[in-house]
Amino acid sequence: MTTNKTVPSDIEIAQQATMQNITKIARGIGLVEDDIELFGKYKAKLSYEAIERLKTAKNGRLILVTAINPTAAGEGKSTVTVGLGDALQKKGKSAMIAMREPSLGPVMGVKGGATGGGYAQVLPMEDINLHFTGDIHAITTANNALSAMIDNHLHQGNECKIDPRRIIWKRVLDMNDRALRKVVVGLGGPVQGVPREDGFDITVASEIMAVLCLATDLEDLKRRLSLIVVAYTYDKEPITVADIGVEGALTLLLKDALKPNLVQTIEQTPALVHGGPFANIAHGCNSVMATSAALKLADYVVTEAGFGADLGAEKFLNIKTRAAGVHPDAIVIVATIRALKMHGGQNKTALKEENIPALQAGLENLEKHIETIQAFGLPHVVAINRFITDTTEETKVLTEWCRNKQTPYALTEVWEKGGEGGLELAEQVLAAMEKPSFFSPIYSLQDSLADKISKVATEVYGAKEVVFSNKAQKQLEQFESYGWGELPICMAKTQYSLSDDAAKLGRPKDFTLHIRELLPKIGAGFIVALTGDVMTMPGLPKNPAALKMNVSLEGKAVGLF
Amino acid sequence: MTTNKTVPSDIEIAQQATMQNITKIARGIGLVEDDIELFGKYKAKLSYEAIERLKTAKNGRLILVTAINPTAAGEGKSTVTVGLGDALQKKGKSAMIAMREPSLGPVMGVKGGATGGGYAQVLPMEDINLHFTGDIHAITTANNALSAMIDNHLHQGNECKIDPRRIIWKRVLDMNDRALRKVVVGLGGPVQGVPREDGFDITVASEIMAVLCLATDLEDLKRRLSLIVVAYTYDKEPITVADIGVEGALTLLLKDALKPNLVQTIEQTPALVHGGPFANIAHGCNSVMATSAALKLADYVVTEAGFGADLGAEKFLNIKTRAAGVHPDAIVIVATIRALKMHGGQNKTALKEENIPALQAGLENLEKHIETIQAFGLPHVVAINRFITDTTEETKVLTEWCRNKQTPYALTEVWEKGGEGGLELAEQVLAAMEKPSFFSPIYSLQDSLADKISKVATEVYGAKEVVFSNKAQKQLEQFESYGWGELPICMAKTQYSLSDDAAKLGRPKDFTLHIRELLPKIGAGFIVALTGDVMTMPGLPKNPAALKMNVSLEGKAVGLF
């Protein structure tokens, strides 16, 4: 944004937008009335019949939006995703967006939704940011039904010989609630169950969210659910959902949540907003169901993955592509001058001030992500997401750097202008997709777990070496012995740095990546490698956003963002 | 049911039924397309605009279905409610049903839904018994957002001076999960919050469920939410939701949940299924919003209240009528020969066997409930809900008893025959409503809390006296000093007996009712009087129903009931 005029808040823009009836949006992409299940006038789920019928259609082309290592505020990846979809539609293309649905918990905590921003938003934003179509509530329910069944199993005789000290399945709530991180359950005597240590994660960190997002249909969902490892026996043998016998009930609880949700942008571009797994402890992309359906419904599909290219894009390309059977035709790397200056040493509190040397120094972060995308064999475009504080000189330095590197780039102003502000990006992306691509994941599934981790660490992060803790070392052997050796790896690492140290900005070199622990996510179909403590249950700040929320007498959200 | 033919299961009947598109059902009661918000083809919410517009319409007549003290399996009150609605429609009347929505937790535990049975069911039963339109999930979220805000308040400096030992607000899940009854939260050191004892209830036991069911509009919802007492200070002063500052956010989270849900019966009679508070720790009736809207939309509205007339009907007549500003025009008391024999001393395992003396002895339970309804000044009809095991002689004894008492009665076979099996009941109910009625609650709000409890105990239960524990005695004084003396009373008592001892069947006399403790539910607007331990978080049985559940590849529920 280059002007000084005041801009209304996201919710003001969203509530002033004119939405089309979702049946009309559906018709625009070739769907008939029976293909969708309405949730009010502006939300719908695709029916299984429609998805089945679409299977024979030809796939459109897929554009993945990723970013450099972000600042705490994020670099506007969702906004660019929405704006690029709008821009493609504005250019007369058949375009759709596939993106994650936001978790309600953080909405109560810190101001800021996850449905884009400014004039590049998906609507109805207040619904999508609150209960939406209930998918996350269904996951909470399925997760906690499994927990109740496990504790009931312990209480009713423990036929499976679950070691109560080795239950790895936690309860969840879609809430920022630090007091639930570590709890003791089953207190109160023999009638109230078996006392044990437990904890709650936020729902989007549940393995069931990852399972839902990687499943290709109801049958695959059930198969994945049955494989989830929930505990170990006293003999350290894994116990699965199938051992507990509850995969049918969990699938039943998720039968509607698996259907992708159809909504629209402010510019009435169709969007599938579905699934939102954590981008550290899980893979951080919207559902395979949504991406696959969008590819059948549009010629161009814009999607995104969480955090920077070292996390979200790496997992999209090594994990999701394998589950979905498709890969992106082009990658957009979102960069901001603010964040590049931070990577070049500018103080975080002074990112609004011009600092050419810091910008120049910070460009090496962008450079590394470009190299990573090239290593995957895919064409890319750098999207320079403009902020009002960017100076002419700074913009010139960045664009000249891109030109010198012969890297395609575009300035975007989608936050302020919607699709109009993304036309240049759309042109660059369309051009990039004409280039030959040679997609190949960074590692083979036949590589050992340790080798997969090493390849990501060295080739994507630029690490010198990987050091495994004693615990992780032991787990590598155990997990291979359980037959989990051929699963892909899901790295859990800070999003702020290419390394496992959030303070190492720019392009750290010669660093060692430390693997503390591995977590089996056998239903999701990957092994999580933890490089440090991962926060899976956020807390509320001193003045939570909830304190300002309200609703008008007509039922409109007030103070949401 | 009087034949021996095998009858399909509830879910088989439900899935074979032909539903009308809910927009057509809505049109049938004078609603236009914009009056409803669709949830798929067969569920919808009434919009606030429609409810506002309906306010000027004339009220129909209200029929409340209650029962004698039930057996553990229940006496078919919901089934009779649905069947009576169908019968009235069959007779050409403009009729609607208003009933509670079932909690998902128990569905996972013990076989048996709460949407009627046989050919008298509301549909789509699998949706209604699972996530439905997400109302209960919204209540779970609002309840737990409040909990997170309370613990965050403690953690961030405790400005309100909450005594962590005196937090009475518990977390909830819509799950049968005994291991969560008593827990310790906030463990793990200073970063994870303040350790304290806590516990989880099932969501339908949340005060927010009672609040939602008694609120008359969004403004009243917010007012009630703000009044909820969540804790006490170190000086024992009550702390409310308004003190925490989160009433706006909670109202926002509940803004759609407050809208009544429109569905249909197997015979396509319109039904509002909305809200389902516990019938012991809360008042056990569907929402005021649903009852009020139904009365505007139909000439005859059939509704129900939980457990027997001593609990559900008493609370309907003393609590809900005051919040809703309407009262029933007639009461249906459901009785079964099985249950009457149990009240007369027949062994619970032999209820299928003929036993005339036991039946005759058990009739005094029915007699007491008839007297109670008469004490409220309302006409009644006894609905004899027939079972295949009822003998001709038993039926004759019961009907002759009714004739001798000049009590109107009707045999119903709605489980087997739908509305056709309730025609006689419909005629009797229509006739009863022609009689003069002189409705008056049992107590005045100006009575002291102790007097209100005494009046219910003596006039409804038939107790000789009430004895308050020391704790309850002290609370009576405290609560009056907090200004809560003019609230109605919500009794929490076993449903199996008129007394507070589940083993005292029939019509116990000269017994003492013991009040153990009082609970303030200031948002709901009543004081709960506990007569013993009340189970607010059920457990799962050794072989939970969840083990048999599944879903077909097309997304149909299997093994639900």
Side-chain angles (χ1 to χ4, degrees):
Chain A
M1 59 206 102
T2 49
T3 66
N4 254 322
K5 73 168 186 224
T6 57
V7 178
S9 73
D10 284 356
I11 188 158
E12 285 167 337
I13 294 172
Q15 289 182 343
Q16 282 158 17
T18 306
M19 283 183 278
Q20 273 197 344
N21 197 307
I22 198 69
T23 53
K24 199 166 169 197
I25 297 285
R27 269 203 301 278
I29 46 174
L31 295 174
V32 298
E33 204 187 324
D34 269 0
D35 289 338
I36 58 171
E37 296 162 10
L38 295 175
F39 283 69
K41 280 183 199 152
Y42 306 113
K43 296 164 286 176
K45 279 187 169 284
L46 301 189
S47 73
Y48 287 129
E49 293 74 14
I51 291 168
E52 188 59 36
R53 200 189 64 229
L54 287 171
K55 280 191 178 156
T56 55
K58 193 169 149 285
N59 272 343
R61 309 196 77 184
L62 185 60
I63 301 147
L64 173 66
V65 178
T66 183
I68 60 171
N69 292 96
T71 63
E75 303 324 301
K77 206 164 49 218
S78 301
T79 307
V80 169
T81 301
V82 174
L84 176 56
D86 285 338
L88 286 165
Q89 170 163 288
K90 218 176 191 73
K91 288 181 73 68
K93 302 293 181 188
S94 145
M96 271 185 89
I97 292 151
M99 60 194 284
R100 289 171 293 167
E101 55 182 306
S103 171
L104 188 152
V107 171
M108 297 284 119
V110 185
K111 187 172 162 359
T115 48
Y119 290 91
Q121 294 187 56
V122 282
L123 304 177
M125 82 86 101
E126 60 189 84
D127 292 22
I128 300 174
N129 276 304
L130 294 174
H131 307 293
F132 199 22
T133 56
D135 297 343
I136 297 181
H137 292 323
I139 293 168
T140 303
T141 304
N143 186 105
N144 294 339
L146 176 53
S147 292
M149 291 292 292
I150 294 167
D151 275 303
N152 192 54
H153 192 95
L154 279 184
H155 178 72
Q156 305 278 6
N158 198 7
E159 209 175 303
C160 285
K161 302 197 189 316
I162 300 170
D163 181 346
R165 302 162 307 174
R166 291 197 169 85
I167 296 173
I168 58 174
W169 190 255
K170 290 163 80 178
R171 289 175 167 86
V172 299
L173 281 180
D174 188 12
M175 194 54 61
N176 284 21
D177 194 344
R178 75 169 65 68
L180 291 180
R181 285 175 190 156
K182 287 177 198 288
V183 302
V184 174
V185 302
L187 297 172
V191 178
Q192 326 286 7
V194 180
R196 63 179 186 89
E197 284 186 54
D198 194 12
F200 283 70
D201 288 335
I202 191 162
T203 302
V204 289
S206 168
E207 185 176 349
I208 292 182
M209 174 59 95
V211 162
L212 185 104
C213 286
L214 289 166
T216 51
D217 56 25
L218 266 176
E219 194 174 6
D220 187 42
L221 178 69
K222 188 167 152 194
R223 180 188 67 79
R224 287 174 180 272
L225 289 168
S226 71
L227 292 173
I228 291 173
V229 172
V230 296
Y232 296 89
T233 64
Y234 287 99
D235 298 331
K236 296 187 189 161
E237 287 304 311
I239 296 168
T240 65
V241 166
D243 294 329
I244 305 292
V246 76
E247 67 276 18
L250 299 190
T251 312
L252 177 61
L253 287 168
L254 297 168
K255 75 181 172 67
D256 295 312
L258 185 65
K259 301 171 188 164
N261 304 298
L262 179 66
V263 293
Q264 64 192 287
T265 69
I266 287 180
E267 300 186 5
Q268 305 178 346
T269 306
L272 292 176
V273 177
H274 190 225
F278 252 36
N280 45 33
I281 201 165
H283 63 292
C285 320
N286 66 260
S287 73
V288 165
M289 292 285 286
T291 305
S292 301
L295 285 169
K296 299 298 185 184
L297 290 164
D299 294 341
Y300 297 95
V301 174
V302 188
T303 191
E304 40 126 41
F307 300 145
D310 51 332
L311 284 168
E314 181 272 311
K315 293 174 188 181
F316 191 105
L317 299 172
N318 279 319
I319 298 174
K320 182 169 168 173
T321 54
R322 287 180 159 113
V326 291
H327 65 79
D329 298 286
I331 309 272
V332 172
I333 306 171
V334 178
T336 62
I337 285 170
R338 290 176 340 139
L340 289 169
K341 285 189 287 191
M342 183 187 75
H343 282 294
Q346 175 84 320
N347 195 300
K348 280 175 201 180
T349 58
L351 295 181
K352 293 178 178 178
E353 291 163 25
E354 181 175 282
N355 188 335
I356 302 295
L359 172 61
Q360 284 167 323
L363 281 165
E364 62 178 6
N365 185 269
L366 172 58
E367 182 181 47
K368 173 61 188 148
H369 292 297
I370 291 173
E371 290 171 18
T372 295
I373 298 308
Q374 287 169 333
F376 277 101
L378 293 173
H380 72 277
V381 178
V382 172
I384 304 169
N385 191 21
R386 297 189 77 178
F387 276 68
I388 194 164
T389 49
D390 299 348
T391 68
T392 313
E393 184 60 20
E394 286 174 334
T395 307
K396 194 175 147 209
V397 166
L398 175 50
T399 54
E400 273 182 7
W401 180 86
C402 289
R403 276 199 298 276
N404 288 339
K405 298 270 300 178
Q406 293 184 307
T407 212
Y409 72 92
L411 293 164
T412 67
E413 296 178 317
V414 294
W415 193 92
E416 194 182 8
K417 299 181 182 169
E420 183 73 33
L423 288 175
E424 190 187 331
L425 176 61
E427 273 161 44
Q428 291 292 337
V429 167
L430 289 170
M433 284 191 290
E434 296 309 311
K435 292 180 197 164
S437 78
F438 310 94
F439 173 67
S440 165
I442 290 282
Y443 54 75
S444 153
L445 294 182
Q446 279 70 49
D447 294 341
S448 70
L449 294 173
D451 282 352
K452 288 173 201 160
I453 294 170
S454 285
K455 286 186 180 175
V456 172
T458 54
E459 294 175 37
V460 178
Y461 304 163
K464 183 185 61 180
E465 57 172 359
V466 178
V467 170
F468 293 87
S469 72
N470 285 343
K471 182 174 187 175
Q473 197 78 49
K474 207 168 147 191
Q475 286 179 310
L476 284 174
E477 288 164 38
Q478 275 177 333
F479 286 16
E480 305 259 1
S481 81
Y482 294 144
W484 304 337
E486 297 203 352
L487 294 176
I489 290 293
C490 182
M491 299 296 295
K493 179 183 75 68
T494 174
Q495 69 265 39
Y496 298 117
S497 170
L498 280 159
S499 76
D500 55 0
D501 176 355
K504 285 186 181 152
L505 300 181
R507 182 176 184 167
K509 292 214 172 76
D510 291 328
F511 65 89
T512 299
L513 191 85
H514 300 87
I515 303 295
R516 190 170 59 85
E517 188 181 351
L518 305 180
L519 306 177
K521 304 285 179 180
I522 311 303
F526 51 65
I527 302 295
V528 173
L530 299 180
T531 60
D533 281 331
V534 174
M535 160 68 65
T536 49
M537 173 53 100
L540 290 169
K542 188 163 173 82
N543 289 301
L547 294 175
K548 299 221 170 102
M549 291 181 189
N550 210 336
V551 59
S552 76
L553 292 183
E554 301 76 39
K556 281 233 176 241
V558 177
L560 197 52
F561 298 110
Chain B
M1 61 206 100
T2 50
T3 65
N4 255 322
K5 74 169 185 223
T6 55
V7 178
S9 73
D10 284 358
I11 188 158
E12 285 167 338
I13 294 171
Q15 288 182 342
Q16 282 157 17
T18 306
M19 285 184 278
Q20 273 196 342
N21 197 308
I22 199 70
T23 55
K24 200 167 169 198
I25 297 285
R27 269 203 302 278
I29 47 175
L31 296 174
V32 298
E33 203 187 325
D34 269 359
D35 290 337
I36 59 171
E37 295 162 9
L38 295 176
F39 283 70
K41 280 184 200 151
Y42 307 112
K43 297 165 286 178
K45 280 187 169 285
L46 301 189
S47 73
Y48 287 128
E49 293 76 12
I51 290 167
E52 188 58 36
R53 199 188 66 229
L54 287 171
K55 278 191 178 156
T56 56
K58 194 171 149 285
N59 272 345
R61 309 198 76 184
L62 185 60
I63 302 148
L64 174 66
V65 178
T66 182
I68 60 172
N69 292 95
T71 63
E75 302 324 301
K77 209 165 47 219
S78 299
T79 306
V80 170
T81 301
V82 174
L84 176 55
D86 284 338
L88 286 164
Q89 171 163 288
K90 217 173 192 75
K91 289 180 74 66
K93 302 293 182 189
S94 145
M96 270 185 89
I97 293 152
M99 61 193 284
R100 291 172 292 167
E101 56 182 303
S103 170
L104 188 153
V107 171
M108 296 285 120
V110 185
K111 187 172 162 1
T115 48
Y119 289 89
Q121 294 187 57
V122 283
L123 303 178
M125 81 86 101
E126 58 188 84
D127 292 23
I128 300 174
N129 277 304
L130 295 175
H131 307 293
F132 200 22
T133 57
D135 297 345
I136 298 180
H137 292 324
I139 293 168
T140 303
T141 304
N143 185 104
N144 295 340
L146 176 52
S147 293
M149 292 291 292
I150 294 167
D151 274 303
N152 192 53
H153 193 97
L154 280 184
H155 178 73
Q156 305 277 6
N158 198 6
E159 208 175 303
C160 284
K161 301 199 192 314
I162 299 171
D163 182 346
R165 303 162 306 176
R166 291 197 170 84
I167 295 173
I168 59 175
W169 190 256
K170 291 164 79 178
R171 290 176 167 87
V172 298
L173 280 181
D174 187 11
M175 195 53 62
N176 284 20
D177 195 345
R178 75 169 63 71
L180 292 179
R181 285 174 189 157
K182 287 178 197 288
V183 301
V184 174
V185 302
L187 298 172
V191 179
Q192 326 287 6
V194 179
R196 65 178 185 88
E197 283 185 54
D198 193 12
F200 283 70
D201 287 336
I202 191 162
T203 301
V204 288
S206 169
E207 184 175 349
I208 292 182
M209 173 58 94
V211 162
L212 185 103
C213 286
L214 289 166
T216 51
D217 57 24
L218 265 177
E219 194 173 7
D220 187 42
L221 177 69
K222 188 167 153 192
R223 182 188 65 80
R224 288 175 180 270
L225 289 168
S226 72
L227 294 172
I228 292 174
V229 172
V230 297
Y232 297 89
T233 64
Y234 287 100
D235 298 331
K236 296 188 190 160
E237 287 303 312
I239 296 167
T240 66
V241 166
D243 295 328
I244 305 292
V246 75
E247 67 275 18
L250 300 190
T251 312
L252 177 60
L253 287 169
L254 296 168
K255 76 181 173 66
D256 295 312
L258 185 65
K259 301 171 188 164
N261 305 299
L262 179 66
V263 292
Q264 64 193 287
T265 69
I266 288 179
E267 299 186 6
Q268 305 178 346
T269 307
L272 292 175
V273 177
H274 190 223
F278 253 34
N280 45 32
I281 200 164
H283 63 294
C285 319
N286 66 259
S287 72
V288 165
M289 293 285 287
T291 304
S292 300
L295 285 169
K296 300 298 186 186
L297 290 165
D299 293 342
Y300 297 94
V301 174
V302 189
T303 190
E304 39 124 43
F307 300 147
D310 51 330
L311 285 168
E314 181 273 311
K315 294 174 188 181
F316 191 104
L317 298 172
N318 279 319
I319 298 173
K320 181 169 170 175
T321 56
R322 287 179 159 114
V326 292
H327 64 80
D329 297 285
I331 308 271
V332 172
I333 306 172
V334 177
T336 61
I337 285 170
R338 288 179 337 141
L340 289 169
K341 285 189 288 190
M342 184 187 71
H343 282 293
Q346 176 83 324
N347 194 301
K348 281 176 200 179
T349 57
L351 295 181
K352 293 178 178 177
E353 291 164 23
E354 180 175 280
N355 187 336
I356 303 296
L359 172 60
Q360 284 167 324
L363 282 165
E364 62 178 7
N365 184 270
L366 173 58
E367 182 180 47
K368 175 59 187 148
H369 292 298
I370 292 173
E371 289 172 19
T372 296
I373 298 307
Q374 288 170 334
F376 277 102
L378 292 173
H380 72 277
V381 178
V382 174
I384 304 169
N385 190 21
R386 298 190 76 179
F387 276 69
I388 195 165
T389 50
D390 298 350
T391 69
T392 313
E393 184 61 19
E394 286 174 333
T395 307
K396 196 175 144 208
V397 166
L398 175 51
T399 54
E400 273 181 8
W401 181 87
C402 289
R403 276 199 298 274
N404 290 340
K405 299 270 300 176
Q406 294 184 303
T407 212
Y409 72 92
L411 293 164
T412 67
E413 297 178 315
V414 294
W415 192 92
E416 194 183 9
K417 297 180 183 169
E420 183 72 33
L423 289 174
E424 190 187 333
L425 176 62
E427 274 161 42
Q428 291 292 336
V429 167
L430 290 169
M433 282 192 291
E434 297 309 313
K435 294 180 196 164
S437 78
F438 311 93
F439 173 67
S440 165
I442 290 284
Y443 53 77
S444 152
L445 294 181
Q446 280 68 51
D447 293 341
S448 70
L449 294 174
D451 283 353
K452 288 173 201 161
I453 293 169
S454 285
K455 286 186 181 176
V456 172
T458 53
E459 294 176 38
V460 177
Y461 304 163
K464 182 184 61 179
E465 57 172 2
V466 178
V467 169
F468 293 87
S469 70
N470 285 343
K471 181 173 187 176
Q473 197 78 47
K474 207 169 149 191
Q475 287 179 310
L476 284 173
E477 290 163 37
Q478 275 178 333
F479 286 17
E480 306 260 359
S481 82
Y482 295 143
W484 304 338
E486 298 203 354
L487 294 175
I489 290 292
C490 181
M491 299 294 296
K493 179 182 75 66
T494 174
Q495 69 265 39
Y496 298 117
S497 169
L498 280 159
S499 76
D500 56 359
D501 175 356
K504 286 187 180 151
L505 300 181
R507 183 176 183 167
K509 292 212 171 77
D510 292 328
F511 64 90
T512 300
L513 191 84
H514 301 86
I515 303 295
R516 193 169 58 86
E517 187 181 353
L518 305 180
L519 306 177
K521 304 284 179 180
I522 311 305
F526 52 67
I527 302 293
V528 173
L530 298 181
T531 61
D533 282 329
V534 174
M535 161 68 65
T536 49
M537 174 51 100
L540 291 169
K542 187 162 174 83
N543 289 302
L547 294 176
K548 299 222 170 105
M549 290 179 189
N550 210 336
V551 59
S552 75
L553 291 183
E554 300 77 38
K556 283 237 175 237
V558 176
L560 198 52
F561 298 111

